[in-house]
Amino acid sequence: MSHFSYKNGALCAENVPLTEIARQFGSPTYVYSKAALVENFSAYANACRENQRDASTALVCYSVKSNSNIAVLDLLSKLGSGFDIVSGGELLRVIAAGGDPSKVIFSGVGKTHEEMKLALSHDILCFNVESTAELHRLNEVAGEMGKQAPVSLRVNPNVDAKTHPYISTGLKENKFGIAYDEALTAYRTAATLPHIRVAGIDCHIGSQLLDDAPLLEALDRLIELVDRLTQEGIVLHHIDIGGGIGITYDKDKPVAIGDYLGRLFAKIDKWRLHQYKGKPIQVMFEPGRSIVGNAGLLLTEVEYLKHGAAKNFAIVNAAMNDLMRPAMYEAWHGVQPVVQRVGEQKTYDIVGPVCESGDWLARERSLAIEQGDLLAIMSAGAYGMTMSSNYNTRGRAAEVMVDGDQVHLIRRRETPGELFALETLLP
Ligand SMILES: *Cc1c(COP(=O)(O)O)cnc(C)c1O
């Protein structure tokens, strides 16, 4: 169910009218629904439970980069989530939010020496290693610290996720992961390194997948590798299938999480040959978008209406620096008037004030709006705030989380002075 709906003609987040949020916190503001977050995480947790999985045989590691606000991380951590991070900064966020480092896995192609040290000092669950060069560096860093680094190799299963090229990561030509044909050799190398402990295998083939077939195909390919490794005496503790399940932006119909996980666990159960210390292999997931995407919207106000010869523009106070996805991937976001008006609808491009033609949030939308109206840019909970910038010296949006009839400010708006506070004049 949607936790953003109209009540008496006004769009609400749970029980709170967005007009009230704009009055209290201004705009642009990201608005998240706590109930939606809980519901989306629970879809994963419930499916694990229904398939007789406990924490030792299934672990959801929320992808921090999709929405890294510490209030979001805290909530998910309390629901039992682990975390998939891609930088040292994200690890510090997880810790600041009260997350458990022993449930953290570290992905990414470019981990630095410093980031490895930081993660090792917090005894994270696993490093998802993306190259042999990284394996050697990690072995060295762990050696300096007198530790053993738990690793999983990110294998590129070479399956087509059939999604936007910028968010497709599982094909041969992508920069991610170790080529499938080189994985065995890389594992043999890993097994000989004294400060590396081989723990698992992982992949992440792309994002905004509506169908689970490519994920299940990737799982088959990982299973083949695990069997080969077992024959060689390299026994893995976990198999991590990555994230990637899509959400409804427009008319998209993503597979239900329960159906996907049901099919996935059925494959694992059928396999079952693989045991680690007498237990079935632990399955991990790294979902981001499917947990936060539809749990958030971006609230913005119409500054001007501009009726041109060829087009009508609604110039709003949110811009590409607040929500990059349209400019970057031509992504489609729903646009809803916060207060429904009766009146003539016109077709508008919804654009921001930034000096770029790429600064648009939505195109050709039929709306009856006036200057000063509030609009909600829907499905903006994932890769919204985390991809925002200060381009044009624009302070980043505020973020609030609604819980029933309560609104909590979880990040205050940046002030212009803060934006250049780290800069200095020449002597
Ligand atoms: C971004 C990312 C995810 C999350 O992807 P979603 O499509 O948001 O579920 C998971 N794993 C890795 C390695 C990623 O880079």
Side-chain angles (χ1 to χ4, degrees), residues 14 47 61 76 139 172 195 215-216 221 231 257 346 366 380 387:
E14 302 192 23
C61 292
L76 294 174
N139 180 55
K172 271 191 204 144
H195 299 287
L215 288 159
L216 297 172
R221 306 220 65 199
Q231 284 163 21
I257 302 301
K346 289 201 174 91
S366 268
M387 286 175 78

Side-chain angles (χ1 to χ4, degrees), residues 202-409:
D202 72 284
C203 71
H204 172 70
I205 61 170
S207 203
Q208 186 55 15
L209 276 70
L210 299 176
D211 182 7
D212 59 355
L215 288 159
L216 297 172
E217 191 185 327
L219 178 66
D220 284 336
R221 306 220 65 199
L222 293 192
I223 284 177
E224 277 168 39
L225 264 179
V226 178
D227 282 340
R228 289 286 302 275
L229 289 167
T230 308
Q231 284 163 21
E232 298 194 14
I234 301 174
V235 183
L236 302 188
H237 157 266
H238 69 255
I239 190 163
D240 173 354
I241 194 69
I245 293 293
I247 61 167
T248 303
Y249 284 102
D250 185 5
K251 297 187 176 73
D252 322 282
K253 293 221 162 45
V255 57
I257 302 301
D259 294 346
Y260 160 48
L261 265 60
R263 286 189 275 268
L264 186 137
F265 286 129
K267 258 188 200 293
I268 301 269
D269 287 345
K270 201 168 145 220
W271 173 41
R272 273 285 165 147
L273 290 170
H274 183 92
Q275 300 268 314
Y276 176 84
K277 296 186 177 165
K279 275 201 146 197
I281 198 162
Q282 186 185 41
V283 185
M284 290 183 190
F285 305 94
E286 304 170 351
R289 191 189 312 268
S290 53
I291 290 179
V292 286
N294 275 328
L297 58 78
L298 175 59
L299 181 59
T300 183
E301 182 178 330
V302 177
E303 295 284 350
Y304 301 101
L305 293 180
K306 200 167 163 179
H307 300 282
K311 272 193 174 233
N312 298 314
F313 294 100
I315 302 164
V316 298
N317 66 359
M320 64 186 287
N321 75 294
D322 299 302
L323 181 63
M324 266 283 262
R325 300 188 65 260
M328 189 149 157
Y329 318 114
E330 303 203 322
W332 193 99
H333 285 268
V335 177
Q336 295 190 17
V338 168
V339 178
Q340 287 165 316
R341 272 182 190 283
V342 282
E344 191 204 344
Q345 295 202 335
K346 289 201 174 91
T347 303
Y348 291 97
D349 278 11
I350 317 298
V351 301
V354 164
C355 304
E356 299 275 348
S357 295
D359 180 28
W360 57 275
L361 298 174
R363 283 175 170 159
E364 305 199 345
R365 303 304 168 82
S366 268
L367 292 162
I369 46 175
E370 303 273 350
Q371 188 171 311
D373 281 5
L374 293 167
L375 297 176
I377 314 294
M378 307 306 290
S379 314
Y383 307 104
M385 186 64 178
T386 49
M387 286 175 78
S388 67
S389 78
N390 293 122
Y391 189 38
N392 279 211
T393 306
R394 288 169 50 83
R396 258 172 285 228
E399 291 176 292
V400 301
M401 174 118 47
V402 174
D403 178 10
D405 43 26
Q406 307 263 2
V407 187
H408 304 283
L409 181 65

